[in-house]
Amino acid sequence: MKEKLVLSIFVSVFLAVLMGGQVYAQTVKAYMGTSPENNVKIVNFVKEKTGIQILQTFQSFGEIEAKVKSEAPNFNADIIVGCGSPLAFMAKKNKWSVPYDSPNWKGVAPEFIDSDKNWFNIANFSFVLVGNRDKLKEKGYTMPKSWKELTDPKWKDQIVMPSPLSSGTANMIRYAFLALYGEEQGWNFLAALDKNIHHYTRSGNAPTDLVGRGEFLLGITSDENVKKRIDEGYPLLWSIPEEGIGYDGTFALILSGTKMMDACKKIIDVLGTQAFSDMMAGIGYMTPRPAPNALYGKTTPKYIKLDLGWAAENRPKWNDIWKEKFRTEFK
Amino acid sequence: MAKAESYSVPQSNVWERLKTFINAELINILAAILFLLLAIFLLYPILAVLIKSIRDPQGLTFAYYLKFFTKGYYFQSLQNTLLLGFINTVICLVVGFCLAYLTTRGPLVLRKPLKIISMMPLIAPPYLFAISLIILFGRNGILTKAFALNWSIYGFTGVVVAQTLAFIPLAYLMIENTLMSLNPNLEESAYDLGASEGRIIRTITIPLLTPGILKAGLLVFVMTIAEFGNAAILGGRTPFLAPDTYTMIIGEADFEMGSVLSVILIIPCIIIFFLHNYLLTGKKFTTIGGKPVASEPRKMTPLVKIPFLVIGFTAVFAIFISFGVVLMASFTKILGVKNEIVFSHILNFDSNRAIYNSIQVSLIAALIGAIIGTLLAYVIVRGKFFGRTFIEMVSLSGFALPGTVIGIGYLLAFNTPPFKLTGGIMILALNCVFRFLAVGVEAGISKLHQINIEIEEASSDLGANFMTTFYKIILPIMFPAFIAGFIYTFMTAIVSLSAVVFLVSPGFELAAVKIFDAAVYGEIGLASATTMKLVAIVVLCMMILNYLTKKTGFDITQKKGV
């Protein structure tokens, strides 16, 4: 008899687990590509302001792009909060995004909102050079002043950067150098740099952690988490080399076919508020509504002159060249 | 047709006839349904990968294969993968055998602790070892700094070590199982006749263990080349097929090239699968089906004991330390940089939903998998229809199909209507069901071979219909196989990454994927803490299951005794 009781208790718990599931008032599924922890911050912010629960998976910008491309037009998410410019432009062109004229996005500079209200740039981010303070001191090296110095053979196998195939940050790094040096010289620079790269990481923020933990001396990395990691106690140095840095937006857009249109609109509304900009600037982003930046302070860093449309258009071609140069042939 | 019939014949009559029909043909109906399921959820996805790899918008093409074989990078990747597979299989088999021998023939005091530690990796994601290697041997690792080591773990050797540690338990489990059911009489008589222990092992134990060793080898090989967590975290710029496939699909949406890599990945697995089948057919191994006989503890000769102990202890020590450092890392702020004790990693509840999903998916998968597995075993052994061997082959092929490939196959096959399953929880569960089906099926087959069909025939002769016979006789006999399938599917599903990583979607995240992301990202503390939570939950579930099987198992032996 006792066995039957135990068994029935087990079965009922089992069924409860199977049937159960957290029930939220309103849930929206999102692809989000900022960083695992910043994703959570945005989710919590939206939940606090609107009561809407965002269910998200973290992926790199490039991975979200790949996913959306492969799913089109049957998307498994309602909204994207955090993707790169190539996908934002592509989505508009293919009508994967739904335009929405949000009252909260009025008066924002044109680089932060699409003229037809298809995409919303919730924050600009850049890439910086990071180094491990302790390890550099150990070796007697100092932080390079310019990007050119990174091609010095002394850094062999000591630099990590993300892979442009999966990371939006790396895509930005690549087009920034191509814009800075011109396409031909740009590729030569990347090839010279490649000789010193230990490996290309999947995600744009990963070099910050790898260099911070002392696995590698230098990293070219997204600026999103640098401030936070320094505050946490990682022995990190960061700098903007003299040639300047590139930038890309972090785009939000509503995916067509969503059954949660009202909730999606509410999320877009919230993303346009000053409070949201304040939060993002507190992490280290450059925001649509001006706010003091945690990393750069009040000064604006030196930017390389860029044309994001040109960069987005050429991304497939450059990916092919990149694969051919740095991956297809094994060295 | 059916409609017209129901008009012409009285209702009750149709019902009666349907009932007799079902009763007589149930096993064939069952076989048809099961075959349909296998076709949809195992064959179709693999076919989808194959088709994708040879098609472009213009039609049939071999351009992608041409690319694979003409570019040095891919070739290097293939070479590394095969080398990794073979090295790992050999090491895992040797270590697995030593451990299994020690825990069945060795000193009694060592048996239990050795067994427990050797099985530990089963309950953790395989890439736990990548995390622990980074903590210990990374460029800023604990041991690297303490002994000024110069071993670069980012590369081939690092991946080999991590994969070996991860898959030792698979080899151990398979070999130990066979070793347990091996009748010790043969060994003992050889011993009495004066043969040395080394000679007995060489000429009696190992030959009798062939089925177990072959199966272990197949499993380890396939898992090693398919589970890409370790290779993706530690590989650096050393290419391997599985992580490359992953980057291609997830990072670039290059499904064509990803499919080519998948097909290439299947080939060695299939070859080994057939080789394994070929070697086993036609040979009789008296051990199988034999009842486990408790072997009297015999003193091992030092000549055998010492090397076995050295090998066994090295492996067990490495496994133990790996779990230790990961546990440590989950309570340390930044291990190696800021060694403060913190609880922030453990108290980070962002992964709760993912853990919950993992349990849910694994339970659903285990339940469905155990049911389908048991039914398949029954149909294969007792059915008398054409194509039985084929069904058996297909259902056991799960052993040989790399998870990466099945994952991509599901993504390709079930992303568009009519079978639109992506973006939900069922695709995750079904994927696990059909990947891990083989164990339940095999356990069921061997259980059924043990009982004579006469009992069933007697039951039906006495007037019991099929359902009664099934419920009263077959089910109790097959219950242990059902439990074996359930436990295996549950345990493998909850920690496996290689297939589900392609199928997670917002709201349907899994813990294994989350940990992998955190580890790749470099957040070792968070990855470690989540791993530990997952391990704790798996242990808890296993304890409950164990308790339940003991309870219900007792019930069954009583019934059989009557």
Side-chain angles (χ1 to χ4, degrees), chain A residues 12-30:
Chain A
S12 45
V13 170
F14 186 84
L15 287 178
V17 172
L18 293 195
M19 300 296 168
Q22 284 131 300
V23 182
Y24 299 112
Q26 248 183 328
T27 55
V28 167
K29 292 176 187 169

Side-chain angles (χ1 to χ4, degrees), chain A residues 59-112:
Chain A
Q59 283 175 309
S60 279
F61 281 8
E63 292 171 359
I64 293 178
E65 190 181 323
K67 188 137 205 160
V68 167
K69 260 198 290 194
S70 69
E71 283 178 358
N74 303 312
F75 304 109
N76 287 327
D78 304 299
I79 192 170
I80 298 175
V81 183
C83 72
S85 48
L87 179 57
F89 299 160
M90 193 193 312
K92 181 185 175 185
K93 206 168 96 189
N94 291 320
K95 300 213 165 20
W96 296 340
S97 54
V98 182
Y100 166 50
D101 195 2
S102 166
N104 285 10
W105 280 81
K106 296 263 187 292
V108 162
E111 62 184 277
F112 285 100

Side-chain angles (χ1 to χ4, degrees), chain B residues 51-236:
Chain B
I51 291 173
K52 193 83 187 172
S53 72
I54 51 167
R55 244 180 54 183
D56 68 356
Q58 274 78 48
L60 201 69
T61 174
F62 290 100
Y64 304 116
Y65 284 94
L66 198 69
K67 197 166 152 196
F68 182 93
F69 286 107
T70 48
K71 300 287 181 187
Y73 176 89
Y74 295 114
F75 190 73
Q76 186 71 37
S77 183
L78 176 64
Q79 204 179 323
N80 288 344
T81 307
L82 292 179
L83 204 61
L84 173 75
F86 284 118
I87 293 179
N88 256 19
T89 311
V90 171
I91 301 178
C92 283
L93 287 182
V94 171
V95 178
F97 177 74
C98 291
L99 285 169
Y101 196 85
L102 284 172
T103 56
T104 50
R105 310 275 192 272
L108 274 176
V109 268
L110 287 180
R111 289 189 188 183
K112 197 117 204 205
L114 275 183
K115 183 171 177 162
I116 291 176
I117 301 177
S118 330
M119 307 253 276
M120 266 164 50
L122 276 184
I123 54 168
Y127 46 85
L128 173 133
F129 296 98
I131 301 175
S132 70
L133 277 184
I134 291 179
I135 296 172
L136 290 172
F137 295 105
R139 289 186 171 189
N140 205 19
I142 300 173
L143 296 180
T144 312
K145 276 202 294 200
F147 301 106
L149 296 177
N150 205 11
W151 176 37
S152 171
I153 54 160
Y154 296 102
F156 192 78
T157 46
V159 179
V160 168
V161 173
Q163 290 288 74
T164 306
L165 291 176
F167 297 119
I168 281 176
L170 275 184
Y172 166 76
L173 210 64
M174 290 284 156
I175 298 175
E176 195 238 21
N177 247 330
T178 342
L179 211 52
M180 287 272 271
S181 58
L182 200 78
N183 196 328
N185 287 347
L186 219 50
E187 285 173 72
E188 266 156 27
S189 29
Y191 194 70
D192 292 341
L193 290 171
S196 70
E197 195 172 6
R199 185 151 173 226
I200 296 175
I201 291 178
R202 213 176 56 241
T203 57
I204 297 178
T205 319
I206 291 183
L208 281 178
L209 277 180
T210 315
I213 290 179
L214 280 177
K215 172 126 301 145
L218 174 70
L219 257 179
V220 170
F221 183 81
V222 174
M223 287 300 245
T224 306
I225 66 171
E227 279 289 338
F228 59 82
N230 284 321
I233 299 170
L234 291 178

Side-chain angles (χ1 to χ4, degrees), chain A residues 7 18 93 124 130 136 139 165 190 193-194 225 244 249 255-256 275 295 302 311 325:
Chain A
L7 192 68
L18 293 195
K93 206 168 96 189
N124 269 341
V130 290
L136 284 172
K139 295 239 174 198
L165 298 177
L190 288 171
L193 185 63
D194 178 71
N225 276 354
L255 284 167
S256 67
L295 189 65
K302 181 181 174 191
K325 267 188 177 337

